[in-house]
Amino acid sequence: MSHDRQAVVSRNTAETQITVRVGLDGTGAAKLATGIGFFDHMLDQIARHGLIDLDIVAKGDLHIDGHHTVEDVGITFGQAVAKAVGDKKGIRRYGHAYVPRDEALSRVVIDFSGRPGLVMNVPFKSGMIGTFDTQLTHEFFQGFVNHAFVTLHIDNLRGENAHHQCETVFKAFARALRFALELDARAAGTIPSTKGSL
């Protein structure tokens, strides 16, 4: 397996200053500092369950709210994944996962299609988890999708606790991402598309 699928991307705006480092063939090591505790916890799930090495430092306008920080981390993470995955030769391309946590169950399906698209159905039972606004989950994944050029379907099939709902979404996303990005020995060096490009 290739071990050079790494990238570093920085994004600096009037609202946020963010640097993301990713290693797609990592061990799940994470260094996270976004200023939003629960968001760091969710990003850690992506690293651990996706076996992606992830280093994210974000300074945002948290005195206003978490919106810009969470959305811009999604954008920068998407750019870093797109850069690290390169021409997509040999990847599985598609990934899916179901993850439960107590009463909650989520399904995530991803396609490294080259076409951004997000369909997300997560009826959160609470507006806030710690200092994290649950509406920002959508903003994170929208930012990621637009810049990683993936099609992403996220469904929380059931759940009564917002923390559990969110955790199953991020863990299932991580597992689906891991599977889609795995190099398939049988497809070595080929682009997984009849078009010949993604």
Side-chain angles (χ1 to χ4, degrees), residues 54-116:
L54 193 54
D55 188 344
I56 298 178
V57 178
K59 290 184 172 60
D61 52 0
L62 295 180
H63 61 284
I64 298 172
D65 67 7
H67 192 289
H68 298 137
T69 299
V70 173
E71 181 180 18
D72 288 4
V73 167
I75 288 169
T76 314
F77 176 54
Q79 289 171 334
V81 168
K83 191 172 170 186
V85 78
D87 63 10
K88 306 180 195 169
K89 276 185 181 166
I91 67 167
R92 293 189 190 276
R93 174 178 168 180
Y94 299 100
H96 67 274
Y98 286 81
V99 170
R101 162 86 195 265
D102 299 339
E103 87 299 343
L105 175 66
S106 293
R107 175 187 63 215
V108 174
V109 185
I110 193 167
D111 175 13
F112 273 79
S113 57
R115 297 184 304 279

Side-chain angles (χ1 to χ4, degrees), residues 7-155:
V8 182
V9 175
S10 291
R11 175 182 172 86
N12 293 294
T13 71
E15 297 161 345
T16 57
Q17 295 82 49
I18 296 166
T19 299
V20 174
R21 288 181 175 78
V22 296
L24 300 184
D25 302 298
T27 60
K31 282 190 278 184
L32 306 162
T34 66
I36 305 169
F38 184 76
F39 186 40
D40 284 351
H41 182 47
M42 292 301 99
L43 293 169
D44 195 28
Q45 307 297 341
I46 294 175
R48 249 167 239 271
H49 294 280
L51 290 181
I52 292 169
D53 290 343
L54 193 54
D55 188 344
I56 298 178
V57 178
K59 290 184 172 60
D61 52 0
L62 295 180
H63 61 284
I64 298 172
D65 67 7
H67 192 289
H68 298 137
T69 299
V70 173
E71 181 180 18
D72 288 4
V73 167
I75 288 169
T76 314
F77 176 54
Q79 289 171 334
V81 168
K83 191 172 170 186
V85 78
D87 63 10
K88 306 180 195 169
K89 276 185 181 166
I91 67 167
R92 293 189 190 276
R93 174 178 168 180
Y94 299 100
H96 67 274
Y98 286 81
V99 170
R101 162 86 195 265
D102 299 339
E103 87 299 343
L105 175 66
S106 293
R107 175 187 63 215
V108 174
V109 185
I110 193 167
D111 175 13
F112 273 79
S113 57
R115 297 184 304 279
L118 175 63
V119 179
M120 182 170 155
N121 182 24
V122 182
F124 280 113
K125 296 294 169 80
S126 173
M128 297 295 290
I129 306 169
T131 59
F132 181 78
D133 178 349
T134 53
Q135 290 186 356
L136 298 184
T137 309
H138 185 278
E139 300 306 314
F140 170 78
F141 285 115
Q142 189 69 68
F144 172 77
V145 157
N146 287 348
H147 294 270
F149 303 106
V150 300
T151 303
L152 184 63
H153 287 251
I154 299 172
D155 289 281

